[in-house]
Amino acid sequence: MNTVSAVAAQDPGASRPLDLVHLSKYTLGNRSLESELLGLFRAQAGVYIDRLESAATAKEWKDAAHSLKGSSRGLGAWCLGDISEEAEAIEYDNLGARATAIHRIRAAVLTVNVFIDELMA
């Protein structure tokens, strides 16, 4: 059993930043693929945050939030996916809501990344 699958098997009902059962099913239990996807997520999440912060149009904002939502949900980071979906729905002109969304996204990404680091250690 691979590392991710082994951790999920210990307590599949535990609340985690990543749904490890989903990830294992998504990758068909391929440890190498799991590691690659987790590494890609870590790299890309920061890019999406940068795009949100630098969004000059409503389309750029929505596209960045949508991309982060898809990436998060693909791995099973449900909470981050939900926060990203909320950000996607924010009106671009609402600067306060956008700032709050970025703050929440940063915190959720940090939580997911710490979990990934602990998982891969």
Side-chain angles (χ1 to χ4, degrees), residues 2-121:
N2 63 52
T3 305
V4 174
S5 298
V7 172
Q10 291 172 9
D11 189 7
S15 175
R16 294 186 177 100
L18 283 174
D19 180 340
L20 298 176
V21 173
H22 171 80
L23 179 61
S24 183
K25 288 179 184 176
Y26 183 66
T27 62
L28 301 174
N30 182 320
R31 181 178 180 208
S32 176
L33 181 57
E34 289 170 356
S35 295
E36 184 177 347
L37 290 175
L38 293 172
L40 286 171
F41 174 82
R42 279 185 82 6
Q44 285 302 115
V47 170
Y48 296 136
I49 290 171
D50 290 345
R51 288 182 182 166
L52 286 167
E53 290 177 332
S54 66
T57 66
K59 181 176 177 4
E60 289 177 4
W61 171 266
K62 289 186 185 301
D63 287 349
H66 183 78
S67 295
L68 182 56
K69 176 182 74 174
S71 178
S72 301
R73 289 184 174 165
L75 291 182
W78 307 125
C79 182
L80 178 55
D82 291 347
I83 294 168
S84 300
E85 182 174 25
E86 292 170 14
E88 188 179 11
I90 291 172
E91 292 296 323
Y92 179 74
D93 294 339
N94 190 338
L95 299 178
R98 285 177 37 212
T100 298
I102 290 171
H103 175 75
R104 291 179 66 214
I105 286 169
R106 279 189 176 284
V109 165
L110 178 62
T111 299
V112 171
N113 285 345
V114 166
F115 184 77
I116 289 170
D117 291 345
E118 290 172 356
L119 186 65
M120 303 306 287

